[in-house]
Amino acid sequence: MSLPLIKEQIDRFLQTRTPEVTAVRGAWGVGKTFAWNKYLIEAKYDNKIALDNYAYVSLFGLNSMDELKLSIFMEIIHKHNIGTERDLEGLKSADRILSSLSRKAIGLFRGLPYSKNFWPTIQALSFYSIRNSIICIDDFERKGKALDAQDIMGLIAFLKEQKQCKVILILNDESLENVALIDYKKYREKVIDIELVFDPTPSECADIALPNDAISIKLKGFIETLGINNIRIIKNIERISKIIEPHLSECEEEVNRQALHSLTLFMWCFYSNSEALPAYYYVKNIGYRLFGLGDEKERSEKEKQWDAVLRRYGFTNFDEFDLQIATAVERGYI
């Protein structure tokens, strides 16, 4: 599904008050959550979010419906505070301050010795106070084992139908367990109104993840050539490039280009697990072999495929300058 169409659908989702459920699914690391947060913040600054309240909840590690319900309540913020640190200073209206204080009071109450008899009641009351809100439920595939996918889908339907909420569900459909995937597909027709398949091109991923500065423009070309569509890897490339840049500020342009060219390749190989990509150790030990120099041992078919990938990218040798770039990739610093 094209990125402009996904943005169009998310913008429409945010701009209406009609209760509905949208699912965004795709492979690991392609930037589903990153894109959602980016479009959400853009809509906030354009004053195009219809409902006043928003909550983001990750299912990672949650093992009960009570935990999920309380998490939704605890994460509710006013739309004006989307993208900012949540603190009392940033909460302008009295009702938001009271809400924040209530959340803190609940947290304190939970730790008191006499609270265990009242805790289920507090949890229920806190959740049922939620209404007319945008709820983002992320990491569906990483839920705790004790939390059933069927129950999650039921809660989402309840939020839409009884609480007039708009729910966006983000999931990595490649990592769903068989039971969770079966439950999702079983209830999808009844619960999900729109399903968006997030499958951006490397160019689109680079546009989402990188700013429009001089370094990023160069990186985008290398990212597109290698076909990298993993946002996490792209952000790591950007992070290390910003660390390397000051050390090369007085060097010639070709030196800077080699640094970014090698960095993009090394980061891609270091963090990727696909056997179709050159193994990181293989790239580091290639030396000048692609020039026909050095080790002439017979290479396997897989290694010949890797050599073809490296040649297409224009990486023909690994020198001592590359070794310094590789060390930065491994350590995360110079």
Side-chain angles (χ1 to χ4, degrees), residues 18 40 54 58 61 64 84 100 131 134 188 209 228 237 285 294:
T18 306
L40 180 67
Y54 171 68
S58 170
S64 72
T84 63
S100 178
R131 181 176 293 276
I134 298 170
R188 174 175 57 188
I228 303 174
I237 293 170
N285 290 284

Side-chain angles (χ1 to χ4, degrees), residues 23-51:
V24 180
R25 64 179 183 85
W28 177 85
V30 295
K32 300 178 294 295
T33 304
F34 192 94
W36 161 253
N37 287 328
K38 180 178 180 180
Y39 299 151
L40 180 67
I41 292 172
E42 288 175 357
K44 166 197 165 180
Y45 286 118
D46 290 339
N47 197 27
K48 292 182 178 179
I49 301 178
L51 299 181

Side-chain angles (χ1 to χ4, degrees), residues 21-256:
V21 179
T22 294
V24 180
R25 64 179 183 85
W28 177 85
V30 295
K32 300 178 294 295
T33 304
F34 192 94
W36 161 253
N37 287 328
K38 180 178 180 180
Y39 299 151
L40 180 67
I41 292 172
E42 288 175 357
K44 166 197 165 180
Y45 286 118
D46 290 339
N47 197 27
K48 292 182 178 179
I49 301 178
L51 299 181
D52 287 339
N53 299 324
Y54 171 68
Y56 170 86
V57 175
S58 170
L59 295 182
F60 180 57
L62 295 185
N63 279 293
S64 72
M65 291 304 295
D66 287 339
E67 287 182 6
L68 174 54
K69 290 176 181 178
L70 186 63
S71 294
I72 293 172
F73 171 76
M74 298 286 281
E75 294 302 322
I76 288 285
I77 59 173
H78 192 272
K79 63 183 177 182
H80 293 155
N81 294 309
I82 290 171
T84 63
E85 291 294 328
R86 188 171 67 191
D87 54 29
L88 290 180
E89 242 175 77
L91 302 174
K92 305 261 174 124
S93 59
D95 59 329
R96 287 295 96 201
I97 293 174
L98 288 173
S99 175
S100 178
L101 290 174
S102 298
R103 282 192 290 264
K104 292 185 177 182
I106 286 175
L108 292 171
F109 179 87
R110 187 177 187 178
L112 297 176
Y114 56 78
S115 67
K116 64 179 180 178
N117 295 327
F118 302 100
W119 185 238
T121 303
I122 294 294
Q123 286 179 305
L125 290 175
S126 63
F127 176 74
Y128 284 104
S129 68
I130 298 168
R131 181 176 293 276
N132 299 114
S133 301
I134 298 170
I135 312 292
C136 177
I137 298 179
D138 199 358
D139 297 319
F140 186 80
E141 73 284 352
R142 302 174 73 193
K143 66 179 182 60
K145 292 183 178 180
L147 189 58
D148 289 336
Q150 178 179 338
D151 291 338
I152 297 169
M153 298 296 279
L155 182 68
I156 290 172
F158 175 81
L159 285 168
K160 171 194 168 182
E161 295 165 7
Q162 303 299 321
K163 310 301 288 182
Q164 287 73 56
C165 291
K166 300 176 77 74
V167 182
I168 187 152
L169 177 65
I170 301 177
L171 63 150
N172 175 2
D173 49 7
E174 292 182 331
S175 299
L176 285 178
E177 299 173 357
N178 288 338
V179 174
L181 186 59
I182 291 170
D183 283 341
Y184 172 77
K185 290 181 176 179
K186 180 179 178 181
Y187 294 97
R188 174 175 57 188
E189 185 178 349
K190 297 178 181 179
V191 177
I192 307 298
D193 297 301
I194 296 177
E195 187 176 72
L196 306 177
V197 179
F198 197 86
D199 185 25
T201 65
S203 177
E204 289 173 331
C205 284
D207 287 337
I208 293 172
L210 299 177
N212 193 30
D213 56 30
I215 290 181
S216 296
I217 290 171
K218 295 174 185 176
L219 288 176
K220 285 177 183 178
F222 301 141
I223 288 166
E224 290 173 21
T225 300
L226 289 174
I228 303 174
N229 64 351
N230 187 300
I231 294 287
R232 291 181 177 89
I233 294 177
I234 292 173
K235 293 302 291 183
N236 272 329
I237 293 170
E238 180 198 16
R239 181 176 62 83
I240 300 298
S241 71
K242 296 296 173 64
I243 294 173
I244 290 173
E245 179 191 20
H247 297 277
L248 304 178
S249 59
E250 297 182 6
C251 294
E252 295 178 357
E253 176 60 26
E254 184 56 31
V255 175
N256 281 271

